[in-house]
Every structure is written in C-alpha cells, then in structure tokens.
Amino acid sequence: MASTFQISSKRLLRAEQLLRDCGAKDIPPSTRVIAAFDAAVLCCRECAELTSSSEQEMAQPNPDVVLAVADLLAASAEQLGLPTAGGDLLLRLMQWSFFGLEIDMPCAPEDAVDLATELVERTRSLLLKSQDGAAIER
C-alpha cells in the first residue's frame, strides 16, 4: 500500500536535493559535509513532527539553541532506530558545524553523506507508515 503514496514532505524533498548536490565533484569536501548535515537535520525535524506526542513538545524546545538541536538530533536518532555510532556522528557533525568549521572535519564527506542517506531512507519509511495509517483511518 505504501507504494501508492507520493512523498509530500517538503523537508524530505529538500533533504534529498541536498544529498544529490553532495554528489557534485566540484564542491569542497566541507560543503559536502555541511549539506549532508543539513539534510540530516531536515530528516530529524520531520521525524520529530511525525512522532511528537503533543503540540507543546514541538512549540517549546530548549531555549538554548544548541541544546535544542542536540535534543532534536538525539531523540530523532533514537526514534528512527539509528545505531549509536550514527547518533554520535550526528552530534559531532552538529558541534563541528556550529563551532568548529576552522578545525578538521569530524568525518570524511562520504561518511556524512552515508549517514544522511540512511536518515532520509528511515524518515521516508516513517513518513510512508504514517501516511498508510492516515489512509487506513479514513
């Protein structure tokens, strides 16, 4: 039944576009890592919206932006069943993109792209399941 649905998430579509852009060989490695991290964050935001138990949970994140993003990444990684190593890399990518662009990247660009690709696939699956559930409820 899931194959009959078209993905309607703007976040997921943008994440997929960012990953396609990562394939361009003429962009610097750091730009590829940033684009992959941005794609991952979009997936985490989509996951949070799909799995949030209340509107208040979404409306009142931690007032510290860094902690709010870290909370979002950690919760989404757990919700999507990402292995611990993937969740750890996600947090290292966040720290690097927020604070350390002048130091060495936390991983190879390919590793960041692989992680983001896995998040896109897991988020797409979650979205399709939620659409299947909505169709069944109708």
Side-chain angles (χ1 to χ4, degrees):
M1 184 178 229
S3 62
T4 63
F5 290 107
Q6 185 140 18
I7 299 294
S8 60
S9 164
K10 290 181 181 179
R11 288 185 195 107
L12 192 56
L13 292 172
R14 179 65 183 135
E16 291 171 338
Q17 180 61 51
L18 286 166
L19 286 176
R20 283 191 295 276
D21 294 347
C22 286
K25 299 299 178 196
D26 59 336
I27 62 173
S30 60
T31 302
R32 291 178 66 207
V33 170
I34 292 168
F37 175 69
D38 289 348
V41 170
L42 288 167
C43 289
C44 290
R45 185 66 180 97
E46 187 69 23
C47 174
E49 186 172 297
L50 290 169
T51 61
S52 179
S53 58
S54 72
E55 288 298 316
Q56 184 176 8
E57 194 176 303
M58 294 292 290
Q60 296 179 342
N62 191 314
D64 181 308
V65 174
V66 174
L67 293 177
V69 174
D71 289 347
L72 170 70
L73 298 178
S76 297
E78 183 178 327
Q79 185 69 33
L80 291 170
L82 200 63
T84 302
D88 292 346
L89 178 55
L90 202 52
L91 291 173
R92 287 196 323 272
L93 287 166
M94 180 204 72
Q95 290 171 330
W96 177 75
S97 68
F98 283 9
F99 306 115
L101 289 175
E102 69 280 352
I103 60 173
D104 291 336
M105 292 183 292
C107 65
E110 295 77 18
D111 294 337
V113 171
D114 288 347
L115 176 63
T117 300
E118 183 174 358
L119 282 167
V120 164
E121 291 167 1
R122 289 173 184 254
T123 304
R124 181 184 302 114
S125 176
L126 181 65
L127 182 61
L128 289 172
K129 285 177 187 174
S130 74
Q131 288 178 339
D132 280 347
I136 292 169
E137 292 174 11
R138 289 183 192 154

